[in-house]
Amino acid sequence: MPDSTAAGAGGTAQSALDTVQRRPREAIMIAQRVPATGDGDERSTAERAIGLALRELNDLPGALRHLRRAVRIAGTARTRALARMSLGYVLANVGRTSAALRAVTAALPELTGADAGRARMQRGVVLHYRGRYDEAVRDYTLAIDIAQREGDLLLEARARNNRGLLNAHRGAPGDVDDLARAAAVFRDLGLDLAAADASWNSGIAAGRRGDIAGALRRFAAVGQEYQRLAVPRPALLLDRFELLLSVPLVEEATEVAAAAIRELRRRGMASDLAEALLAQARAALLAGDLDIATEAAAAAGSRFRRQGRRTWAAFARHVELRAEFRRGTRTAALLTAMVRTADRLEATGWADPALLTRIDAGQLAVELGRTDRAAKLFAVAAGTRGRGTAPRRAQGWYAQARWHRLRGEEPAAARALRRGLAVLDRHRTSLGATELRANSGAYGQELAAEGLDIAVRAGAPTRVLAWAERWRAHSVRTRPALPPDDADLVAALAELRLVSGLLEDAVLTGRPVRALRGRQARLEQRIRDLSRHAAGGPGTLTPPRVHNLAARLGSRVLVELFAHGDRLGAVLVRDGRASLHDLGSLTEATRLTRWHRFGLRRLIVTGDSAAARAAVEHAATALDRQLFDPLRRRLADRPLVIVPVGALHSVGWAGLPTGTGRAVTVAPSAAAWLAAEQQGAPRGTPVLAAGPRLPAGAVEVHRLAQVLPAARLLTGGQATATALTAALDGAAMVHIAAHGAFRADNPQFSTLELADGPLFAYEWEGIARPPGCVVLSACESGLTGVRPGDEIMGFAAVLLALGTRCLIATVLPVPAEPTTALMLDLHRRMHAGVGPAQALAEAQRAFVTGGDPTAPATAAAFVCLGAG
């Protein structure tokens, strides 16, 4: 945040002013001791100290009241000018930037020496707010020159802090040095609050450079310092928003923007409130909520114009125009407005929104038939491919590819897209946390889709497979990177387990749960923050070549699904040859998948009925016909490896006619399947575990112990999260019978219920030696949260990323008692040497013929993930 200034005259009043940045509440108490009968300058300085302290505490109306009084009662021109200078700063905070600039500019002629330096810096702050960045940097630099000449370390530190922050936002050099020197001086002077602000700004700079993990670490550390100092900083929510949106963690960013709007509106911080409304609009645009995006952007733009912040108004206009484009408007007027706004943003230093608007304008020009105009727009946008953050450079390569395609240069376009995806791939490896990597897939979607379009139009199945793989499920191909030996994370997870148990008990007994839910939410946020601190790990796997797949597939057939616009396509690999197939409407396949799941769930939960059976059979037949009829001749009766897309990750494949009795392995990508297939099998002791409140689970594992007499048994009080996680390390096979819960909002908080509370998916990311095969008979334990780029999250994603070869789990709720028979048969077959996918298919077929009318639905709930 830009730093305020504090200096003045007169004994006690000066002491109060000097204390503002250390302890603002104490500064107010000191200033209030200045007698009302004192001379004008001392009383003015006291009022100024109170006003600046209230600014630090975010009481802006109170700050203005005291600063205006400071101007009125000043006895000399110098003291009045200093009060005007501080008044200008707070006026800028409340959005009255024109009045702020007049107040500070009027103060300048009355001040000399270090006072003039402070006024220059304060004028820079106001210009900063108004978006006049070059002028602001000049004033900050003049203030630094004066401070060095006068030997005023405090002024130099404040001006460097402000210049460093502005350069970080603009992507200009020098921010790291300025912010580090400012923080060091503040600490040496004992100004803890100012040091915290400078450290927070260095977190902003790290985020702007693309160092997400570093920014999160800095924000977490400084956040604790603000708590220690008991100083509220609601405007810092906007910095957190920027970082979340840069990943992008859209849902969380939306929540932060809403919280910022509530808090800033309550405190009357008009300038920051306008920025919060713009933040809400940007998040809504990414989330596809075009109505909210337009409404919030219009409200922000109106506020910016009233505040004289024309640059910010252009930013808000950019969001409005992009929302209009996504709504389907295709007019010459929209094209003109987009080009004008992009030029205005570029001229005032908003390079990233200018780039996005220009690319959209290029696409609009193409659709309007103005190819020459489109080529010029794409050419200008392509100029960013060599500079800026990774997402910005990648967008530049995307624009370059579009320029090549307009000229009919498809191979050159494909090369440009690969360059852009390589930039993003390197960026991804710097993100240690699975959650960050999974969500960062949004940045590569446009590039991968463009490359896929080139390959599909060329009718080249091997190239389609390469492009379908290039940006698919990268987070599963890379081992998770949790912060090493992070005691805080371990403690937070243990506390969350305790709170979750207390919450469940309270719900069951009808006691109040509001406080516990709030505590649970705060702990989950802390765990997310801590887990995101990890630095990146090794790079991701490259897309596999067909001959490498063929060598491992043997007699199996790989079917990799992909989305091409609203069409669902498939690349089929059999006996070393690839073929390309159109499977119809993606929307229809998604609808049938949901219909089929609904029917299966209804059969399992509510019991058998002729109507329910008929509905399931109809949905299964329709979905099977769409997915497999075009492939039928090449599938024959061979085992399948299926790579789904989007909602099809949740299909119960054994419930489709083609999957019934057939060995089906489901993988998030062909590369992930190949890596799992090549994994060696660990030889550690098998593990059988049962959770509480599931009598059938205890029966199940005791009966399984007869099939696997060498297995380690964890039941009752022994089946704790710590014990099970330790037992997984290096185990050949692990079977867990426990209640499970899938968290769609954050799959890494999906749970298995154990003796000491829930075990979270997060907790398995630290396992050193992954188990070979894991069987989870818990409800929906195989469900995954699907993010852009078909990134998956949840227990399956964690285990496959660790290197577990195979996971057998459910994508639907399953009844406990009947499932035991299926699990016993499965393990007998695997123990006899049958591969997991084939063993599951055979056990499912035998289970269905057992006479239980709900058995087909129960059997269909289980899938074999990874390599079968």
Side-chain angles (χ1 to χ4, degrees):
M1 63 175 55
D3 198 1
S4 64
T5 185
T12 303
Q14 182 61 49
S15 175
L17 202 54
D18 292 340
T19 307
V20 165
Q21 281 281 318
R22 293 183 178 88
R23 296 173 295 279
R25 289 183 175 83
E26 184 178 330
I28 292 171
M29 290 189 293
I30 295 172
Q32 287 172 339
R33 293 202 293 266
V34 173
T37 56
D39 70 38
D41 280 355
E42 186 163 1
R43 287 164 50 216
S44 174
T45 302
E47 291 291 342
R48 184 166 163 242
I50 294 172
L52 289 172
L54 289 172
R55 162 63 189 86
E56 293 298 331
L57 297 171
N58 293 294
D59 179 358
L60 298 187
L64 287 174
R65 194 165 55 250
H66 285 275
L67 289 169
R68 287 191 177 107
R69 189 177 302 146
V71 173
R72 272 198 318 273
I73 65 177
T76 63
R78 173 181 177 270
T79 304
R80 184 174 298 107
L82 291 171
R84 279 185 177 140
M85 184 174 64
S86 296
L87 175 62
Y89 174 68
V90 179
L91 283 168
N93 277 222
V94 298
R96 298 180 56 192
T97 56
S98 297
L101 189 58
R102 285 196 300 271
V104 179
T105 303
L108 271 171
E110 305 296 334
L111 300 171
T112 59
D115 288 342
R118 293 184 184 91
R120 280 287 174 188
M121 188 196 69
Q122 204 71 335
R123 188 171 185 272
V125 170
V126 178
L127 292 166
H128 189 160
Y129 273 115
R130 288 180 68 84
R132 291 161 62 175
Y133 300 132
D134 290 339
E135 295 173 74
V137 167
R138 281 198 296 272
D139 272 349
Y140 289 151
T141 303
L142 280 170
I144 292 169
D145 293 342
I146 293 171
Q148 290 175 334
R149 187 172 65 243
E150 298 290 328
D152 191 328
L153 287 175
L154 179 56
L155 172 59
E156 181 183 352
R158 285 183 170 135
R160 284 190 181 278
N161 176 57
N162 293 350
R163 188 175 70 176
L165 176 61
L166 179 51
N167 282 331
H169 278 300
R170 299 201 307 169
D175 58 278
V176 176
D177 182 57
D178 270 343
L179 293 170
R181 290 177 66 178
V185 170
F186 287 140
R187 280 192 292 270
D188 289 345
L189 295 174
L191 299 174
D192 294 345
L193 180 56
D197 288 341
S199 295
W200 182 275
N201 290 342
S202 68
I204 296 172
R208 289 283 178 170
R209 292 192 303 274
D211 181 7
I212 305 300
L216 286 165
R217 283 195 298 272
R218 185 61 55 91
F219 283 173
V222 181
Q224 292 181 334
E225 179 69 358
Y226 283 134
Q227 286 184 351
R228 183 185 73 80
L229 295 169
V231 175
R233 283 286 190 261
L236 300 188
L237 287 168
L238 297 175
D239 297 325
R240 182 175 181 81
F241 167 87
E242 291 291 344
L243 195 61
L244 293 168
L245 207 65
S246 73
V247 174
L249 295 166
V250 179
E251 291 180 6
E252 195 174 337
T254 300
E255 293 172 4
V256 169
I261 289 170
R262 289 193 301 271
E263 186 65 12
L264 295 168
R265 181 172 278 136
R266 184 176 72 83
R267 294 179 180 273
M269 299 174 70
S271 180
D272 292 319
L273 175 58
E275 293 176 34
L277 288 166
L278 176 58
Q280 183 184 50
R282 293 165 62 200
L285 182 65
L286 274 181
D289 190 339
L290 302 182
D291 290 339
I292 292 294
T294 301
E295 179 184 339
S302 176
R303 285 175 176 270
F304 287 136
R305 285 188 290 275
R306 286 201 305 271
Q307 295 169 11
R309 301 168 70 185
R310 292 187 298 274
T311 302
W312 283 88
F315 196 169
R317 181 64 173 153
H318 135 90
V319 177
E320 284 188 88
L321 294 173
R322 295 192 74 209
E324 193 65 26
F325 176 66
R326 275 154 179 68
R327 195 174 274 112
T329 300
R330 299 293 184 266
T331 64
L334 178 60
L335 176 60
T336 300
M338 294 178 85
V339 172
R340 184 186 303 119
T341 299
D343 290 343
R344 186 175 299 146
L345 288 166
E346 186 77 50
T348 51
W350 289 105
D352 289 348
L355 172 63
L356 296 174
T357 303
R358 196 165 277 129
I359 289 174
D360 278 356
Q363 175 61 27
L364 175 55
V366 170
E367 296 183 38
L368 292 174
R370 301 184 179 183
T371 53
D372 289 345
R373 185 76 179 277
K376 290 177 182 176
L377 288 165
F378 287 138
V380 173
T384 65
R385 64 191 185 278
R387 62 180 187 272
T389 61
R392 186 179 181 213
R393 298 200 309 276
Q395 282 292 308
W397 283 111
Y398 174 71
Q400 181 74 18
R402 295 300 306 272
W403 182 81
H404 281 302
R405 292 199 77 181
L406 283 176
R407 295 161 59 91
E409 300 166 352
E410 302 285 75
R415 286 194 296 272
L417 293 167
R418 285 193 290 270
R419 292 283 296 273
L421 287 171
V423 168
L424 290 172
D425 199 26
R426 288 191 293 273
H427 171 63
R428 250 185 189 183
T429 62
S430 72
L431 304 175
T434 298
E435 182 189 21
L436 299 184
R437 289 182 175 183
N439 283 279
S440 69
Y443 284 122
Q445 274 189 302
E446 283 184 319
L447 287 86
E450 196 75 16
L452 185 68
D453 182 66
I454 293 172
V456 169
R457 291 179 185 278
T462 56
R463 282 158 54 193
V464 171
L465 178 64
W467 278 106
E469 282 285 301
R470 193 169 295 278
W471 204 244
R472 173 173 251 159
H474 273 221
S475 61
V476 174
R477 307 187 214 170
T478 311
R479 184 182 175 90
L482 282 181
D485 303 320
D486 192 328
D488 289 339
L489 181 58
V490 172
L493 284 163
E495 186 179 355
L496 180 59
R497 187 172 6 265
L498 171 65
V499 169
S500 298
L502 293 172
L503 179 59
E504 184 171 0
D505 290 343
V507 170
L508 292 173
T509 57
R511 298 197 307 274
V513 297
R514 182 175 178 180
L516 286 170
R517 287 198 190 281
R519 188 175 168 194
Q520 180 188 48
R522 289 191 295 274
L523 281 167
E524 288 184 359
Q525 182 61 61
R526 176 155 174 73
I527 289 164
R528 284 197 296 266
D529 287 343
L530 289 169
S531 69
R532 294 167 182 169
H533 293 178
T540 54
L541 303 173
T542 56
R545 297 183 181 275
V546 169
H547 68 268
N548 292 334
L549 287 170
R552 301 297 301 199
L553 280 169
S555 64
R556 291 171 289 196
V557 176
L558 172 75
V559 178
E560 175 143 345
L561 304 178
F562 63 88
H564 181 231
D566 190 43
R567 303 297 292 178
L568 179 64
V571 176
L572 184 146
V573 180
R574 168 181 160 163
D575 298 334
R577 297 185 62 186
S579 56
L580 185 61
H581 306 268
D582 179 23
L583 304 185
S585 165
L586 176 60
T587 302
E588 178 64 8
T590 300
R591 186 185 70 83
L592 289 172
T593 295
R594 289 172 178 157
W595 187 14
H596 184 231
R597 279 182 55 78
F598 174 79
L600 290 173
R601 180 186 289 268
R602 182 180 171 195
L603 271 178
I604 292 170
V605 174
T606 65
D608 181 48
S609 74
R613 280 202 314 275
V616 169
E617 289 170 8
H618 182 71
T621 301
L623 182 59
D624 191 82
R625 185 183 301 122
Q626 179 177 354
L627 296 181
F628 295 116
D629 273 5
L631 317 174
R632 191 80 60 195
R633 183 177 58 83
R634 296 186 58 77
L635 293 182
D637 60 354
R638 297 191 180 199
L640 297 181
V641 177
I642 298 177
V643 179
V645 63
L648 276 69
H649 280 278
S650 62
V651 169
W653 298 98
L656 303 183
T658 299
T660 302
R662 187 194 298 255
V664 177
T665 303
V666 181
S669 70
W673 174 82
L674 188 58
E677 182 72 17
Q678 293 169 337
Q679 283 285 345
R683 300 180 178 276
T685 303
V687 177
L688 304 172
R693 299 193 307 109
L694 190 64
V699 171
E700 182 173 296
V701 297
H702 279 101
R703 292 180 67 183
L704 284 173
Q706 297 171 13
V707 179
L708 303 168
R712 178 182 176 186
L713 205 59
L714 294 174
T715 59
Q718 294 181 316
T720 64
T722 302
L724 178 58
T725 300
L728 256 67
D729 198 300
M733 193 285 301
V734 178
H735 180 101
I736 305 171
H739 284 298
F742 176 71
R743 281 277 299 273
D745 61 324
N746 191 329
Q748 300 304 91
F749 283 115
S750 297
T751 58
L752 295 172
E753 186 179 339
L754 295 173
D756 57 343
L759 170 74
F760 302 98
Y762 269 119
E763 297 182 81
W764 280 358
E765 293 193 337
I767 296 172
R769 297 173 303 158
C773 179
V774 176
V775 180
L776 300 176
S777 58
C779 293
E780 300 184 324
S781 52
L783 272 184
T784 55
V786 184
R787 299 295 186 259
D790 276 303
E791 297 289 351
I792 64 171
M793 294 175 66
F795 277 109
V798 169
L799 288 168
L800 293 176
L802 285 172
T804 293
R805 193 173 188 276
C806 171
L807 169 66
I808 293 174
T810 65
V811 292
L812 288 161
V814 288
E817 289 79 4
T819 299
T820 298
L822 177 62
M823 293 294 95
L824 283 168
D825 193 6
L826 167 70
H827 280 285
R828 288 192 190 100
R829 295 175 192 275
M830 288 199 299
H831 191 56
V834 181
Q838 185 63 42
L840 178 61
E842 293 174 1
Q844 286 169 321
R845 183 168 51 200
F847 184 66
V848 166
T849 60
D852 184 341
T854 64
T858 301
F862 283 86
V863 294
C864 178
L865 300 156

